[in-house]
Structure formats: structure tokens, C-alpha cells
């Protein structure tokens, strides 16, 4: 497995986005392109995405700081609410 060229900052808190897709929650980390996973229930999202990040960067899952998951239900509405 080839390591990613982007760097991982262990002091940073990474936001996890969750989007509903065909009965699953698709998980992504916008600041870590290519890091994705999926879960049926959001209660499993934190552990699952920590494992995905750990695998991508050859780290221990316990060293990863995340915020979320943040459910993105309607991106257009979320963008309107920001203004």
C-alpha cells in the first residue's frame, strides 16, 4: 500500500461529514481527500472513520482527533442557512 502524499497533523481536529445514500451513511473527511467509509448507523461512524484515517496514514486510531460526524442532509439548504 502506498502512503498518501498529503500530511496528517496530529494536533488538528478533522471534521467528518456524513451523507445519506441508499440506506447507508457515506463518511468523508473534506480535509483528507480520498478518506472515505460508510456505516449503517451514525453511532458507528466515529470508530469507522478513525480506522479509515489510521489505515490511510499508518497511524494508531487513538491518535486521531475528529469532530462529528456532521450529517449533511440537504447541502443546498445548509448553504442557505449559513448566510
Amino acid at each position: 500500500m502506498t502512503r498518501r502524499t498529503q500530511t496528517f497533523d496530529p494536533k488538528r481536529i478533522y471534521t467528518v461529514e456524513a451523507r445519506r445514500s441508499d440506506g447507508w451513511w457515506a463518511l468523508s473527511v473534506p480535509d483528507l481527500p480520498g478518506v472515505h467509509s460508510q456505516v449503517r448507523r451514525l453511532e458507528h461512524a466515529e470508530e469507522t472513520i478513525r480506522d479509515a484515517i489510521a489505515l490511510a496514514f499508518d497511524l494508531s486510531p487513538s491518535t486521531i482527533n475528529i469532530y462529528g460526524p456532521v450529517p449533511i442532509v440537504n447541502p443546498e439548504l445548509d448553504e442557505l442557512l449559513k448566510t
Side-chain angles (χ1 to χ4, degrees), residues 22-40:
D22 295 326
W24 289 84
W25 286 97
L27 307 174
S28 63
V29 183
D31 293 328
L32 299 174
V35 176
H36 306 282
S37 194
Q38 63 182 9
V39 292
R40 285 271 187 198

Side-chain angles (χ1 to χ4, degrees), residues 27 36-39 41 44-54:
L27 307 174
H36 306 282
S37 194
Q38 63 182 9
V39 292
R41 299 175 60 128
H44 302 289
E46 184 176 340
E47 179 182 359
T48 301
I49 202 67
R50 279 184 200 276
D51 288 344
I53 296 169

Side-chain angles (χ1 to χ4, degrees), residues 3-70:
R3 289 192 72 171
R4 297 178 180 276
T5 55
Q6 67 207 48
T7 58
F8 177 84
D9 181 358
K11 296 177 185 169
R12 186 168 180 189
I13 299 173
Y14 291 93
T15 299
V16 178
E17 294 181 348
R19 289 180 172 77
R20 197 77 173 141
S21 177
D22 295 326
W24 289 84
W25 286 97
L27 307 174
S28 63
V29 183
D31 293 328
L32 299 174
V35 176
H36 306 282
S37 194
Q38 63 182 9
V39 292
R40 285 271 187 198
R41 299 175 60 128
L42 280 180
E43 64 193 41
H44 302 289
E46 184 176 340
E47 179 182 359
T48 301
I49 202 67
R50 279 184 200 276
D51 288 344
I53 296 169
L55 182 63
F57 292 96
D58 194 24
L59 302 166
S60 168
S62 64
T63 64
I64 300 165
N65 297 310
I66 64 168
Y67 172 77
V70 176

